[in-house]
Amino acid sequence: ECTTMERILYAGDSTVAFNKINTYPQTGMSQALPLYLKDDIQVLSFAKNGRSTKSFIAEGRLAAIERELKEGDYLFVQFGHNDAKPDEARHTDPATDFKENLLTFAKAAQDHGAKAVFITPIARRLFDEKGRFKKGSHGAYPTAMKEAAAKAGVPVVDLTVVTEQYLAGVGELWSRPLFVWPKDNTHLKYEGAVMMAGFLARGLRALGEPYSSLLAEEKEGE
């Protein structure tokens, strides 16, 4: 039985980032994920607001992860919100460099004996004037991520589909408290981060071992 603390290094954007009081009430999934994990699992958040796969790598953030990665670690990779942005620093094409960048993350994990997990971006909270949920706000990026995962041989948790279904189900009014609404419909409040991290935990459980072994026991009767 291995007694070393297992670690998750989490790369991503503002939906993942660990927020301090200066961005309150914004909360990222890396803040809420430990609620679902065993006590001895450590989450190291490398996520940064506004980053795409391209700018994350260009700024040396993947290099910082590589310096830290050890054998047996997990590397969670969750992008897609900012890769579609039109600016040169962030924009990637889902068919080409977005996938190539993701493969770079997967290789970094592999080189250090770590296990990568790709996580498709959470849905934006977008409803039309009739209050119907508008899905597909991430375009081709979630599918591209699944294709990159298949190519790299890493598991993928599809949060895009599950969060789109969830928001469509709860509707315009009841989804407001999960996001920093009315300021925006992308960033999460604490309740939203807890909800989204719960979907991630469910996805990890569905992947089976070793990913499911990161999770705390669920309550009886669930």
Side-chain angles (χ1 to χ4, degrees), residues 4-200:
T4 54
M5 183 174 267
E6 287 197 283
R7 307 187 310 163
I8 295 166
L9 284 69
Y10 206 153
D13 52 37
S14 58
T15 60
V16 173
F18 197 107
N19 287 260
K20 299 287 190 177
I21 198 67
N22 62 342
T23 45
Y24 184 85
Q26 198 175 303
T27 311
M29 288 172 57
S30 67
Q31 277 168 279
L33 184 59
L35 294 170
Y36 298 93
L37 303 175
K38 289 181 178 149
D39 291 344
D40 58 348
I41 310 290
Q42 194 180 8
V43 177
L44 305 178
S45 184
F46 288 81
K48 197 78 179 162
N49 291 12
R51 299 315 188 267
S52 70
T53 54
K54 181 178 179 179
S55 61
F56 192 94
I57 292 170
E59 291 170 9
R61 298 181 187 281
L62 177 56
I65 287 174
E66 291 204 74
R67 286 194 293 275
E68 185 62 46
L69 266 180
K70 298 204 292 269
E71 193 171 338
D73 284 342
Y74 294 81
L75 176 59
F76 285 11
V77 183
Q78 183 173 336
F79 288 98
H81 273 89
N82 299 304
D83 283 78
K85 298 275 165 75
D87 54 289
E88 175 62 28
R90 294 188 289 184
H91 184 77
T92 63
D93 182 318
T96 55
D97 50 344
F98 178 62
K99 284 194 201 171
E100 286 155 23
N101 293 345
L102 290 171
L103 294 176
T104 303
F105 279 93
K107 187 177 186 315
Q110 193 180 9
D111 288 349
H112 292 84
K115 294 180 270 296
V117 179
F118 289 176
I119 303 160
T120 62
I122 60 167
R124 290 192 174 95
R125 188 195 161 280
L126 298 177
F127 291 84
D128 67 16
E129 59 287 345
K130 289 201 174 74
R132 284 180 305 224
F133 179 72
K134 291 156 71 169
K135 62 182 204 187
S137 67
H138 293 301
Y141 292 91
T143 301
M145 181 177 257
K146 288 190 253 187
E147 289 167 358
K151 187 169 182 184
V154 304
V156 64
V157 174
D158 191 347
L159 285 189
T160 307
V161 165
V162 68
T163 55
E164 284 186 342
Q165 288 170 345
Y166 177 76
L167 292 174
V170 291
E172 196 278 326
L173 181 65
W174 293 101
S175 58
R176 288 176 188 178
L178 302 176
F179 289 79
V180 189
W181 181 91
K183 192 171 138 237
D184 74 62
N185 291 305
T186 297
H187 299 117
L188 301 167
K189 282 196 192 136
Y190 185 75
E191 293 78 6
V194 170
M195 180 66 71
M196 301 304 175
F199 288 133
L200 174 55

